[in-house]
């Protein structure tokens, strides 16, 4: 059984090993595309599913990675949409349900790594969509708009990390 789950892997851009045998790669799409600069983009998850309804049991993974689409103002057929995905109008509900599912499949004391780009929606708005509080985070990228946040699923015997 795999110990790590990436619920919205896309083309696995930040993974050093895109075929890591310890990772269950998931996405709601599969396909091969040619980007505007001629590069090939392959989205080939192990499991095709929606991160709001994961086909896994409760408390199954030690580590979950949640890097959902972060853009709402984007043409659906653009190369950026193909590469990163596009959020629907009800994005708040989608992201809240995604957090709930990620924490559901995460083992107690397990770690959730969340990545968000503040290009169109501030991370403070995203954190309102989960009861969990991040332990720490880091800004990166050319304009420091990409946030990497680390959460730990609470275990009654260990710690309480809800707001």
């Amino acid at each position: 059984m795999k110990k790590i789950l990436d619920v919205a892997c896309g083309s696995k851009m930040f993974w050093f090993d895109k075929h890591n045998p310890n990772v269950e790669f998931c996405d709601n799409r599969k396909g091969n595309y040619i980007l505007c600069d001629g590069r090939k983009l392959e989205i080939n998850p192990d499991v095709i599913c929606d991160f709001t309804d994961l086909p896994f049991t409760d408390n199954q993974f030690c580590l979950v990675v949640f890097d959902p689409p972060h853009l709402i103002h984007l043409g659906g057929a653009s190369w950026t949409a193909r590469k990163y995905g596009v959020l629907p109008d009800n994005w708040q509900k989608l992201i809240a349900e995604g957090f709930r599912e990620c924490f559901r499949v995460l083992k107690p004391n397990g770690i959730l790594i969340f990545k968000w780009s503040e290009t169109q929606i501030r991370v403070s708005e995203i954190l309102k969509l989960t009861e969990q509080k991040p332990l720490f985070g880091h800004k990166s990228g050319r304009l420091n708009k990409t946030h990497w946040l680390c959460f730990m699923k609470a275990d009654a015997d260990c710690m309480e990390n809800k707001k």
Side-chain angles (χ1 to χ4, degrees), residues 91-161:
W91 63 267
Q92 294 96 334
K93 182 177 186 270
L94 181 87
I95 299 298
E97 289 174 358
F99 270 120
R100 273 193 295 281
E101 275 295 275
C102 287
F103 283 109
R104 180 187 66 78
V105 300
L106 192 60
K107 290 183 178 186
N109 297 317
I111 300 295
L112 170 68
I113 300 297
F114 178 73
K115 180 178 168 254
W116 187 260
S117 175
E118 278 191 325
T119 306
Q120 296 176 357
I121 303 167
R122 297 188 55 76
V123 75
S124 59
E125 292 300 308
I126 297 304
L127 292 177
K128 294 176 186 175
L129 303 175
T130 180
E131 294 181 349
Q132 303 292 327
K133 287 177 57 177
L135 297 171
F136 58 87
H138 176 74
K139 293 180 185 180
S140 66
R142 188 177 48 127
L143 301 173
N144 270 343
K145 289 191 173 198
T146 299
H147 294 254
W148 293 84
L149 302 174
C150 180
F151 296 80
M152 179 183 246
K153 182 175 178 177
D155 178 349
D157 294 333
C158 183
M159 66 181 283
E160 183 64 34
N161 64 349

Side-chain angles (χ1 to χ4, degrees), residues 14-162:
F14 57 75
W15 287 93
F16 290 112
D17 181 355
K18 295 178 185 345
H19 304 285
N20 186 321
N22 296 308
V23 182
E24 190 75 57
F25 292 103
C26 299
D27 207 290
N28 66 353
R29 60 206 170 117
K30 182 176 184 163
N32 292 296
Y33 307 98
I34 303 296
L35 300 178
C36 64
D37 60 4
R39 288 180 296 150
K40 294 179 182 177
L41 175 72
E42 179 184 17
I43 298 171
N44 188 21
D46 300 321
V47 177
I48 296 175
C49 64
D50 188 318
F51 61 67
T52 65
D53 187 24
L54 297 169
F56 305 107
T57 60
D58 295 357
N59 306 314
Q60 184 174 337
F61 296 94
C62 298
L63 173 67
V64 174
V65 177
F66 187 24
D67 177 16
H70 58 270
L71 299 170
I72 51 176
H73 305 296
L74 189 63
S78 70
W79 72 267
T80 306
R82 288 183 175 156
K83 191 171 183 180
Y84 300 109
V86 181
L87 287 171
D89 290 339
N90 68 340
W91 63 267
Q92 294 96 334
K93 182 177 186 270
L94 181 87
I95 299 298
E97 289 174 358
F99 270 120
R100 273 193 295 281
E101 275 295 275
C102 287
F103 283 109
R104 180 187 66 78
V105 300
L106 192 60
K107 290 183 178 186
N109 297 317
I111 300 295
L112 170 68
I113 300 297
F114 178 73
K115 180 178 168 254
W116 187 260
S117 175
E118 278 191 325
T119 306
Q120 296 176 357
I121 303 167
R122 297 188 55 76
V123 75
S124 59
E125 292 300 308
I126 297 304
L127 292 177
K128 294 176 186 175
L129 303 175
T130 180
E131 294 181 349
Q132 303 292 327
K133 287 177 57 177
L135 297 171
F136 58 87
H138 176 74
K139 293 180 185 180
S140 66
R142 188 177 48 127
L143 301 173
N144 270 343
K145 289 191 173 198
T146 299
H147 294 254
W148 293 84
L149 302 174
C150 180
F151 296 80
M152 179 183 246
K153 182 175 178 177
D155 178 349
D157 294 333
C158 183
M159 66 181 283
E160 183 64 34
N161 64 349
K162 290 187 177 185

